[in-house]
Amino acid sequence: MHSDRTDAAPPQPAPTGSPDRPPARPVPPTADDTGPDDSDRPETPRPPHLLLPAAGGRWAAVLALAVAASTTATLLLPALLARAVNQALAGAGTATGRQLIALLALLTAAEAAAQYAAPRSSADAASRIRTTAIRRMLAAGPAAVSRMPVGDLVARLTASAPQAALAAPALVYSAAQLLMAAVAVVALTLLSPLLSLAFLVTAPTGYAVIRRPLRRTTHAGDGYQRTQAQLASGLLDALSGSRSIAASATVTREIQRVLRPLPHLSRLGHELWDTQRRTAWCTGLLAPATQLTVLAVAGTQVAAGRLEVGDLLTALGYTGIGLSGLGTAQSLLDVAQARAGAARLTDVLTLPVRRITPRPLPAGPGRLELRGVVVHRQGAVALDGLDLTVPDGSWTALVGAPDSVTSLVAALAVGLAEPDEGTVTLDGVPLAAIHPDELPTAISCAFADPVLTGATVQDALGLGLGPAPPPSRLRGRAGRAGRGLRPPDGYRTPMASLVLSGGERQRLGLARALARDSRLIVLDDATCGLDGATEAAALHALRGETAGRTVLHITRRATVAAAADRVAWLHEGRVRTVAAHDDLWPHAAYRDVLDGGTPGPRPAPLKASAGD
């Protein structure tokens, strides 16, 4: 269960005829308060070494062994090839030729194993990193995770995890390439000091030439990933607050906001491709230039009788191996990308895990209280000293403010978010002190876009952390809340075979919320997708099924507000007043915050209520 709008940045409310009020609290530099109870303060762990989760695994070990075998065979190949040529020219037999064939077979098998193990290692590492991050999020709880924008969180799990997973192959290949380059220089020196001198004069010049493009590639690649994540985060945040955007007629402005990073992304992309092109061009010239230089020196040595013909092939082979050190540039770029991805995952992998000291939740009627609640989101004050009481056994509608803010109140009421300041209690017990396994029994919720999981319709309706209600109760309440829904095979219909409209999903979400004997029911715009007749039937079912239970219904629908016992009017992060719908309807400002409200002159300021 989740709310689809709690992470959208709240737009600035339009000025209204609200009464004078003290200025909003400034946003503090940090928002690390996690509750009023010191015994429940989260435990902040020591940040892990973020490359270690990516470096383990059996496929990383297979890759290391395969690369080690491939490196050994590659280093032996030039010397063995030279011996085979010299023996062939001298007519000394074919023993070395058979050794050469065996070595080539080993090299082929090792390269094939490495090509298979490298992507498997990265895939397994990405899976482990995502699993570790998700487990950390579950251990930290939804309240801690809610402080992170949902778009940015998705970008980290989908883009940064594969980046961090590049660590193992990149480290293995970097070590192998550097080792081969060093051994190749030593082999050239043993063959003839002039050969290593020719190599060391030419190759470092190429390294100096490509050093600056490599730095630019690293910088542009990191910036490209960050800007891409920023673009994806903005898009997801806009989608989560789409109803507020549509209601406020700010679609064009939101499109401009989401696409604002696009020119910068384009510049970084062109810079990245340009530097990679320059690097490839310089590397393409460096390799033949170095090989020709070493080959010329080796030729003079053969002509002078200091080297044999086979040594010419040895020199050429070790020159190519020495140039493989240029491949380290790409491997080191992968290491840099892995470090950047790991750094972006730090906030997720080090989320504080709450040490829960459960308090017994006494039997109660479901009285919900929010006292002095302050919540900051993305540098803005979303709730500013909110005081609201939902009396037990009553049906209270909450209207006003952007969808993101009202949905934030719903998240606070069901324990999916925690205030930066203030308390949220159920029957006098802070929600933060209630064990998470006990919350679904005490509180049911339904959202505008419910997530329905389970093999069948009955599984989806009965899914939850608390004890599942009997099938007969599920069918009875689902039939009343989901009036008109007729799955092909009834409640045994597979969820995967259903194509549901938004209204049908909402009716199933309502049925799931009503199926439990919870004392408090929180509905976050859970009927916004229903037509008038269906909504009237759903409200009638709600009235019958929630008798004696407490209901907090967040809505923009005048019909829902009219059906409630009382309406709490939320404005600028506080409750402006609490009254019956009929008493509020004459005020044009109140009608303006409801769908279908009629514009009119602003009324005189209403007297603020404490929330009772």
Side-chain angles (χ1 to χ4, degrees):
M1 297 180 292
H2 72 285
S3 172
D4 60 338
R5 298 186 299 277
T6 57
D7 294 306
Q12 295 297 325
T16 64
S18 58
D20 294 336
R21 51 178 295 174
R25 294 178 175 86
V27 180
T30 59
D32 295 331
D33 294 340
T34 55
D37 191 349
D38 291 340
S39 64
D40 292 335
R41 288 192 181 278
E43 177 184 358
T44 303
R46 186 175 66 177
H49 193 294
L50 294 176
L51 288 181
L52 289 182
R58 61 177 182 175
W59 286 108
V62 171
L63 175 64
L65 291 174
V67 171
S70 174
T71 300
T72 302
T74 301
L75 291 173
L76 292 176
L77 184 61
L80 197 59
L81 181 62
R83 183 188 300 176
V85 170
N86 289 333
Q87 288 180 351
L89 292 175
T94 60
T96 305
R98 289 192 294 269
Q99 295 175 0
L100 184 60
I101 293 174
L103 187 64
L104 288 174
L106 173 62
L107 179 60
T108 302
E111 282 294 326
Q115 290 297 320
Y116 181 78
R120 282 298 302 266
S121 173
S122 296
D124 286 358
S127 176
R128 287 195 303 274
I129 292 172
R130 288 193 179 110
T131 300
T132 302
I134 291 173
R135 286 177 176 172
R136 191 76 191 186
M137 292 162 54
L138 293 175
V145 177
S146 68
R147 299 179 186 276
M148 305 178 66
V150 64
D152 185 60
L153 183 60
V154 171
R156 295 185 196 215
L157 292 177
T158 57
S160 299
Q163 276 187 278
L166 294 173
L171 291 172
V172 169
Y173 280 118
S174 296
Q177 290 159 350
L178 290 174
L179 176 63
M180 286 195 300
V183 173
V185 172
V186 172
L188 289 174
T189 303
L190 294 176
L191 196 62
S192 172
L194 289 177
L195 296 178
S196 62
L197 180 63
F199 180 86
L200 292 175
V201 167
T202 310
T205 303
Y207 283 116
V209 171
I210 67 174
R211 183 179 179 183
R212 186 168 179 268
L214 284 177
R215 286 184 174 180
R216 291 182 60 193
T217 300
T218 302
H219 172 75
D222 181 65
Y224 188 87
Q225 292 291 336
R226 291 181 178 275
T227 307
Q228 192 177 46
Q230 181 183 357
L231 188 65
S233 177
L235 176 60
L236 288 173
D237 287 343
L239 291 175
S240 68
S242 57
R243 294 186 69 247
S244 290
I245 295 170
S248 57
T250 58
V251 175
T252 302
R253 188 173 66 188
E254 282 299 309
I255 292 175
Q256 294 173 349
R257 182 187 68 83
V258 171
L259 297 182
R260 192 172 298 134
L262 193 58
H264 184 56
L265 183 72
S266 176
R267 288 194 298 270
L268 289 172
H270 282 86
E271 181 182 351
L272 181 64
W273 297 323
D274 182 64
T275 52
Q276 289 178 337
R277 175 182 61 83
R278 290 175 181 270
T279 302
W281 177 73
C282 293
T283 304
L285 289 180
L286 174 63
T290 303
Q291 289 174 331
L292 288 175
T293 303
V294 174
L295 190 60
V297 174
T300 60
Q301 295 287 299
V302 172
R306 297 187 182 91
L307 294 176
E308 298 182 11
V309 175
D311 295 334
L312 190 67
L313 295 177
T314 304
L316 190 60
Y318 281 120
T319 300
I321 293 174
L323 289 173
S324 68
L326 292 175
T328 310
Q330 181 59 50
S331 298
L332 293 177
L333 285 176
D334 290 342
V335 172
Q337 289 185 4
R339 291 179 63 86
R344 283 184 52 77
L345 288 166
T346 301
D347 293 341
V348 180
L349 295 177
T350 58
L351 280 170
V353 177
R354 178 171 292 281
R355 297 171 298 163
I356 300 176
T357 306
R359 301 181 190 176
L361 181 61
R367 181 182 179 88
L368 176 69
E369 292 184 90
L370 295 88
R371 287 286 174 254
V373 170
V374 177
V375 178
H376 305 95
R377 285 292 182 267
Q378 299 186 0
V381 180
L383 296 175
D384 187 16
L386 173 66
D387 291 318
L388 174 65
T389 296
V390 182
D392 48 272
S394 71
W395 185 351
T396 300
L398 181 69
V399 304
D403 292 337
S404 59
V405 177
T406 51
S407 290
L408 179 57
V409 176
L412 291 168
V414 299
L416 294 179
E418 290 182 356
D420 298 320
E421 300 176 24
T423 59
V424 181
T425 62
L426 177 63
D427 290 323
V429 179
L431 291 188
I434 303 174
H435 196 281
D437 291 347
E438 195 173 354
L439 276 179
T441 304
I443 305 175
S444 295
C445 48
F447 298 106
D449 186 17
V451 175
L452 302 171
T453 56
T456 65
V457 172
Q458 181 167 308
D459 294 337
L461 294 179
L463 190 66
L465 296 177
S472 58
R473 185 190 306 167
L474 270 177
R475 296 188 183 98
R477 294 183 177 178
R480 290 185 287 273
R483 181 180 177 184
L485 289 176
R486 294 182 178 86
D489 295 325
Y491 292 95
R492 293 174 294 181
T493 303
M495 288 297 299
S497 67
L498 288 180
V499 179
L500 300 173
S501 66
E504 290 170 334
R505 294 176 64 86
Q506 285 187 353
R507 279 180 279 173
L508 287 176
L510 283 171
R512 182 174 61 185
L514 295 178
R516 301 190 181 280
D517 291 325
S518 53
R519 64 183 74 178
L520 172 63
I521 299 176
V522 178
L523 308 175
D524 184 9
D525 223 357
T527 61
C528 63
L530 306 182
D531 57 54
T534 306
E535 184 183 51
L539 293 177
H540 180 74
L542 280 171
R543 269 298 184 188
E545 296 297 337
T546 61
R549 295 195 275 176
T550 306
V551 178
L552 175 63
H553 198 151
I554 287 141
T555 184
R556 285 185 176 274
R557 313 267 282 200
T559 51
V560 176
D565 299 326
R566 59 190 213 141
V567 177
W569 184 358
L570 190 64
H571 177 65
E572 294 185 359
R574 298 180 184 178
V575 173
R576 181 177 180 180
T577 191
V578 176
H581 172 75
D582 291 341
D583 296 334
L584 295 174
W585 185 252
H587 298 270
Y590 173 74
R591 296 195 300 271
D592 287 347
V593 302
L594 297 174
D595 291 343
T598 304
R602 296 290 180 186
L606 295 171
K607 183 178 180 181
S609 169
D612 287 322

